[in-house]
Amino acid sequence: GAGVSQTPSNKVTEKGKYVELRCDPISGHTALYWYRQSLGQGPEFLIYFQGTGAADDSGLPNDRFFAVRPEGSVSTLKIQRTERGDSAVYLCASSLTTGRGETQYFGPGTRLLVL
Amino acid sequence: KQEVTQIPAALSVPEGENLVLNCSFTDSAIYNLQWFRQDPGKGLTSLLLIQSSQREQTSGRLNASLDKSSGRSTLYIAASQPGDSATYLCAVDNNNDMRFGAGTRLTVKP
């Protein structure tokens, strides 16, 4: 079946603008995760959802970042007043549940460049 | 806070060599540890997942070990091939809070 998809694959924006990044998880996966990966670094946890609710948003760096998953499937990561430091690859992953040992399946990421 | 370190940061080997990638973590209270592969411009592919109660997992030419008490894991790749060239990431799961190392960038020369 289809894997995790993310759109757009690349996004270039200007400092101060608002952006939305979309993630389509694997069908039937109840858990969805967002990560941010800077150049030369491993992914950094941002937030995860179990169903429609954000179970843990402790990784969001500040209140300019927000994510939703209104119907328990597609999720949107929203960044307000973008800054150059927000430039990174934003990765989404999904898993069947949030139980121990559940493998997370990653999408290809959205490469965000803030000029 | 969990810290994950991977050594070396980069590794270049000739085709056919066996090699070991290292991962260490500071908090041994983990649920599991995973090794991922990341190709340039791509997402992550899970290679092996070791539960906290397990000592090792094997898949084909890959073998991953886990010593939770010492906070270490190794990924052993046998008979390396040019197609193995990628970045290998180690990640530890503390109750759905997955922490990644910075990765080891592997190049296998034909």
Side-chain angles (χ1 to χ4, degrees):
Chain A
V4 178
S5 62
Q6 293 186 245
T7 55
S9 55
N10 293 280
K11 177 70 177 178
V12 181
T13 190
E14 294 179 344
K15 178 183 173 183
K17 299 289 189 182
Y18 168 83
V19 296
E20 289 189 352
L21 312 179
R22 176 187 168 110
C23 172
D24 280 88
I26 293 173
S27 178
H29 280 195
T30 62
L32 184 146
Y33 307 78
W34 282 100
Y35 297 85
R36 177 169 69 175
Q37 186 174 23
S38 300
L39 193 63
Q41 300 297 316
E44 176 188 17
F45 169 79
L46 297 177
I47 183 172
Y48 93 88
F49 291 86
Q50 175 58 40
T52 60
D56 183 351
D57 64 357
S58 62
L60 295 177
N62 51 60
D63 61 6
R64 293 187 298 105
F65 288 75
F66 188 71
V68 295
R69 194 185 185 201
E71 297 179 357
S73 179
V74 171
S75 176
T76 304
L77 179 65
K78 308 181 181 191
I79 310 175
Q80 299 177 325
R81 305 183 303 280
T82 52
E83 300 178 356
R84 292 194 180 89
D86 297 335
S87 297
V89 176
Y90 289 82
L91 294 166
C92 174
S94 70
S95 63
L96 193 58
T97 71
T98 56
R100 295 188 188 191
E102 285 290 340
T103 297
Q104 295 184 22
Y105 296 86
F106 282 77
T110 293
R111 284 150 196 79
L112 175 66
L113 177 61
V114 181
L115 300 176
Chain B
K1 180 183 174 183
Q2 178 75 271
E3 302 280 346
V4 182
T5 304
Q6 290 188 246
I7 295 173
L11 180 64
S12 181
V13 300
E15 181 177 4
E17 272 204 8
N18 303 324
L19 58 101
V20 175
L21 307 181
N22 297 289
C23 172
S24 61
F25 48 95
T26 55
D27 183 355
S28 62
I30 64 171
Y31 282 4
N32 60 60
L33 182 145
Q34 287 193 61
W35 283 93
F36 291 87
R37 169 183 173 140
Q38 187 172 33
D39 292 282
K42 306 285 186 181
L44 280 66
T45 301
S46 180
L47 298 173
L48 290 165
L49 183 152
I50 311 177
Q51 300 282 8
S52 61
S53 59
Q54 297 175 324
R55 299 283 292 184
E56 66 176 346
Q57 284 286 337
T58 299
S59 176
R61 293 183 294 108
L62 305 179
N63 176 277
S65 69
L66 173 64
D67 185 342
K68 203 172 72 163
S69 61
S70 67
R72 294 181 184 176
S73 176
T74 61
L75 179 66
Y76 175 82
I77 303 177
S80 58
Q81 303 171 357
D84 295 332
S85 298
T87 296
Y88 291 81
L89 293 156
C90 163
V92 295
D93 187 352
N94 294 97
N95 193 19
N96 295 307
D97 180 4
M98 188 175 285
R99 303 278 174 167
F100 286 80
T104 293
R105 189 173 65 256
L106 173 65
T107 302
V108 181
K109 300 176 185 175

